[in-house]
Amino acid sequence: ITGSKGKGLSDLEDAGERGVITSVEARTALALFLRREAKYGDAISVMQSLRNEYPRDFLFCLEVANLTKDDGDGPEAIQEYRLLLDQARRAGYFPSAHLELAWFGLGESLRGQKSYSEAAKAYEQAVEQPTASGELRGRCELNAGEMYDILHEREKAEQRYQAVLQNEPGSAQAESARKYLKYPFSQR
């Protein structure tokens, strides 16, 4: 397959701006390609336009927060995740939302801002969501344990590590949990 990446992005941008039938699809694809190229600012602009047009679309709102986090703007990402989670509290606002993804992203953003106690709570909220996959639950339990170790709350950390071993015993997270049960997690 041959072609020009620049021309492809330009064509998607044109279809997103002027397309009648495929505007949403073109902008969605454009944002995905811009993310892949680490052009987060441009991708955020595209996703914000989609969010503004479809404010009750969970994935568009989530992706604005995710892109903001990936762009390195932790405080703004935290605000975006919290806004999303506040909106989700309104009954029926986001049909079939996967809030565990927002809670996980919030946890990651808070961790990056060294708000370890709040990050642990966000990870635990992700675990409590009924739609959370086993793999995500394992990651969140492990991450919450790491936060508690950083906070020198060893008993809580051990509980989280034990939960990983109980629920995802053969996972990479379980291997880390076994290690952290022997030697507390520490940032190096």
Side-chain angles (χ1 to χ4, degrees), residues 31-43 67 70-71:
L32 292 171
F33 286 120
L34 289 169
R35 169 191 271 288
R36 184 172 178 261
E37 297 299 314
K39 295 181 179 181
Y40 299 115
D42 294 338
L67 286 163
D70 294 346
D71 194 31

Side-chain angles (χ1 to χ4, degrees), residues 16-180:
E17 290 174 5
R18 298 187 310 141
V20 177
I21 297 174
T22 60
S23 175
V24 173
E25 293 84 354
R27 287 184 286 162
T28 303
L30 176 62
L32 292 171
F33 286 120
L34 289 169
R35 169 191 271 288
R36 184 172 178 261
E37 297 299 314
K39 295 181 179 181
Y40 299 115
D42 294 338
I44 290 168
S45 294
V46 172
M47 289 310 298
Q48 283 174 332
S49 75
L50 288 164
R51 178 183 66 184
N52 292 342
E53 196 172 333
Y54 301 97
R56 295 178 67 153
D57 185 297
F58 175 77
L59 292 177
F60 292 156
C61 295
L62 177 66
E63 191 59 11
V64 170
N66 287 340
L67 286 163
T68 304
K69 173 182 60 78
D70 294 346
D71 194 31
D73 190 348
E76 182 65 25
I78 291 167
Q79 287 183 334
E80 291 288 351
Y81 286 117
R82 286 185 172 152
L83 173 64
L84 171 66
L85 290 164
D86 285 344
Q87 291 170 325
R89 286 186 182 93
R90 294 168 35 198
Y93 190 83
F94 292 122
S96 59
H98 283 266
L99 295 179
E100 71 276 8
L101 300 173
W103 283 111
F104 176 75
L106 177 60
E108 293 288 281
S109 297
L110 289 164
R111 180 181 189 152
Q113 297 300 303
K114 300 185 184 331
S115 297
Y116 302 125
S117 180
E118 288 182 80
K121 291 173 186 163
Y123 291 131
E124 289 175 345
Q125 284 293 318
V127 170
E128 292 176 16
Q129 301 307 306
T131 52
S133 69
E135 191 271 333
L136 183 63
R137 282 191 170 119
R139 287 178 66 186
C140 289
E141 293 281 13
L142 181 68
N143 290 358
E146 291 171 352
M147 298 302 93
Y148 288 127
D149 264 342
I150 289 171
L151 294 166
H152 304 290
E153 296 182 30
R154 187 66 180 149
E155 187 175 316
K156 287 182 178 179
E158 289 175 340
Q159 289 172 350
R160 302 283 59 91
Y161 300 144
Q162 289 293 345
V164 174
L165 294 176
Q166 182 180 2
N167 299 319
E168 293 291 312
S171 68
Q173 290 81 18
E175 186 176 321
S176 294
R178 284 184 196 90
K179 181 173 80 173
Y180 298 151

